[in-house]
Amino acid sequence: MCVFVTGGTGHSGSYIIPELIATGHEVTGLARSDTAAAAVSALGAKVRRGDLQDLDGLKEAAADSDGVIHVAHRQDLLPSGGIDAVAAAELAVVLAYGEALAGTGKPLVAAGSIGSPGWENLGRPATEDDPALPGGDEYTGTLRARNVVETAVVGLAERGVRSSVVRLPTIMHSTTDNAGFLPLLIALAKETGFVGYPGDGANLWGAVHVRDVASLFRLALEKGPAGKQWHAIGDGGIPFREIAEAMGSRLGLPAVSVPADVMMLPAHFGFLANLVTLNLPASNLITRQTLGWEPAHPGLLADLDNGHYFPAGTSAGNNGVATLEKFVSRMGAGDMSGALEMVDEEAVWQEAETLPWGGQWRGPDGFTRLEAAINTSAEMTVRDSAIVEAGEVVEMRLSLVFTSRKSGRRLPMEVVEHYTVREGKIHGATAFYKDTQAVNDLVKHG
């Protein structure tokens, strides 16, 4: 099949594309930037330039393909519009696919979430036959706001599209997981000195290895019937306390109950407070029986020892902060060659795809080119910074001011960067901007 894939450079997409190619499919991946195009090409796929805002382009790409896998979303909308804005943008994309594929019987497989439907009080594990519950004003700002997307995808079956949704659990783990819930929880534990869990920690979270996710998307594309939901569940329900205790044992930190009240949970977990309390047991029986899918890769608790989340020799008090401080100090002193000596040849610098300099930049040279790309658009001045040790992920918090090269307009911006640091080397970083749209507006309009 000729398959069109969106989100191909993301965590799941970067495994889905090789899975499809390895099983004989021809893949075209959507790419917004030159960097993303290079990454898609490196995975073995053809490149189609464009973005999720170009609905006509998406319809054309879908019509030209034998099937579509959609795992992209407008993450840049989160800071300004939250999950509601992300869902609204994705709904428009799904409906565009529907127009292009109506009456063809071609497959459309989209990513969903076990956390969205709103089944917290089922009293049993959710199954694939449980529909996503309707949203509404009372669910504004929650994952349930995204149910409109899942409902729309499933509904396309009535228009002659072989559409289905792969529901993903809270944790999708792998050796390349740099920005999921686990790195965030690990960073929080390193900052606070303990691994927190809500209340008694009996609420259940699901998990799956990303390679098993990739095989499920392929199977749904190849033989999934229309109008179905599939559960990408490897571990069907692990008590949150067990996850916390597993992280604590590897970090050398205690696992501690955080009282489940409106003051204590947000005080400790911040924006994760509403998520850590979710109780989401789910079954994968129908998925396995219908598609023949069997998770084949390590479960969550085993994968915590994969050398990525907790590499050998890293624990509280290691030299990750010192390494990054030395790197930053050399750059601040103008010793760029000395700073680049600390960068691993395979380092990956990840910027939001929606930024003018978005995508992946690789190695010491990639860091230099990224800095030049930013500097061409705007002068970047650091007002304040802080570095926090978090195992392999070392977090640098920056208070910046971007100054437009066109107009001189200044834009204050908060940025968080998650650095991977091992054995005195920088292995790359993922940057998170408080408002990517504001940065885009500054660069584009001055």
Side-chain angles (χ1 to χ4, degrees):
M1 297 173 62
C2 296
V3 187
F4 176 58
V5 176
T6 66
T9 60
H11 187 201
S12 62
S14 61
Y15 288 85
I16 291 170
I17 288 178
E19 170 77 15
L20 292 172
I21 292 174
T23 50
H25 298 291
E26 182 179 293
V27 180
T28 298
L30 184 69
R32 180 180 183 275
S33 65
D34 291 342
T35 305
V40 168
S41 181
L43 292 170
K46 296 180 180 179
V47 175
R48 183 183 181 95
R49 295 301 296 264
D51 58 43
L52 295 179
Q53 295 170 274
D54 180 11
L55 299 182
D56 288 337
L58 294 178
K59 286 191 287 187
E60 181 179 303
D64 289 343
S65 71
D66 298 319
V68 176
I69 289 180
H70 175 69
V71 293
H73 63 277
R74 292 283 308 280
Q75 187 176 2
D76 61 299
L77 295 176
L78 278 172
S80 57
I83 189 66
D84 302 270
V86 175
E90 190 172 4
L91 177 60
V93 170
V94 166
L95 295 178
Y97 290 143
E99 290 183 32
L101 301 176
T104 66
K106 293 179 180 180
L108 164 65
V109 187
S113 171
I114 294 292
S116 297
W119 307 314
E120 288 87 346
N121 299 312
L122 277 179
R124 59 168 174 78
T127 76
E128 295 87 336
D129 288 339
D130 289 315
L133 299 178
D137 291 342
E138 65 268 40
Y139 300 108
T140 296
T142 71
L143 286 175
R144 190 158 162 179
R146 193 186 174 278
N147 286 357
V148 64
V149 177
E150 178 172 323
T151 301
V153 172
V154 172
L156 290 177
E158 298 179 0
R159 299 180 57 192
V161 182
R162 187 159 61 84
S163 58
S164 62
V165 172
V166 174
R167 290 169 171 165
L168 301 172
T170 320
I171 296 177
M172 185 166 57
H173 52 93
S174 76
T175 56
T176 60
D177 176 18
N178 290 318
F181 285 123
L182 279 180
L184 291 174
L185 292 171
I186 292 168
L188 178 62
K190 299 296 290 185
E191 180 179 357
T192 60
F194 68 93
V195 186
Y197 57 87
D200 62 6
N203 58 304
L204 303 178
W205 270 26
V208 67
H209 196 285
V210 72
R211 291 190 183 276
D212 289 321
V213 169
S215 67
L216 178 52
F217 270 94
R218 174 181 59 80
L219 290 170
L221 178 88
E222 291 175 343
K223 60 181 180 178
K228 298 294 185 180
Q229 296 90 199
W230 313 112
H231 282 185
I233 298 293
D235 296 302
I238 306 175
F240 196 100
R241 179 172 181 169
E242 290 186 17
I243 298 173
E245 289 172 342
M247 290 193 296
S249 68
R250 291 158 176 80
L251 289 168
L253 297 173
V256 178
S257 171
V258 178
D261 62 45
V262 295
M263 296 294 290
M264 297 293 287
L265 280 180
H268 178 71
F269 288 106
F271 73 95
L272 295 173
N274 290 330
L275 294 172
V276 298
T277 58
L278 291 176
N279 185 44
L280 302 168
S283 167
N284 65 11
L285 181 61
I286 293 174
T287 299
R288 291 189 291 111
Q289 289 179 337
T290 306
L291 298 180
W293 177 70
E294 290 294 339
H297 292 86
L300 172 62
L301 299 183
D303 207 23
L304 288 176
D305 288 327
N306 69 17
H308 171 71
Y309 293 111
F310 309 98
T314 60
S315 60
N318 74 8
N319 67 350
V321 167
T323 298
L324 186 54
E325 287 178 341
K326 184 177 181 180
F327 175 71
V328 172
S329 176
R330 287 183 175 181
M331 287 197 299
D335 181 13
M336 184 57 72
S337 61
L340 294 179
E341 287 176 357
M342 301 178 66
V343 176
D344 186 81
E345 291 296 325
E346 300 299 321
V348 177
W349 314 93
Q350 181 73 48
E351 295 280 326
E353 290 284 353
T354 52
L355 289 168
W357 49 83
Q360 291 186 345
W361 304 72
R362 296 183 177 274
D365 179 62
F367 179 80
T368 301
R369 289 186 289 110
L370 171 59
E371 292 278 295
I374 296 174
N375 190 58
T376 298
S377 303
E379 180 183 357
M380 186 175 67
T381 305
V382 178
R383 296 192 301 186
D384 192 18
S385 65
I387 298 174
V388 178
E389 178 64 69
E392 186 176 12
V393 178
V394 182
E395 184 173 279
M396 181 156 65
R397 303 165 184 172
L398 296 164
S399 177
L400 306 173
V401 175
F402 287 105
T403 303
S404 170
R405 297 289 186 189
K406 292 181 179 179
S407 66
R409 182 166 70 89
R410 293 161 56 85
L411 174 67
M413 182 60 53
E414 302 300 316
V415 180
V416 174
E417 297 177 337
H418 284 178
Y419 281 80
T420 302
V421 183
R422 291 195 298 269
E423 300 177 354
K425 284 282 190 178
I426 306 295
H427 289 256
T430 301
F432 304 90
Y433 294 72
K434 184 176 181 180
D435 190 343
T436 54
Q437 186 57 55
V439 178
N440 276 325
D441 289 343
L442 181 78
V443 172
K444 184 176 181 179
H445 303 296

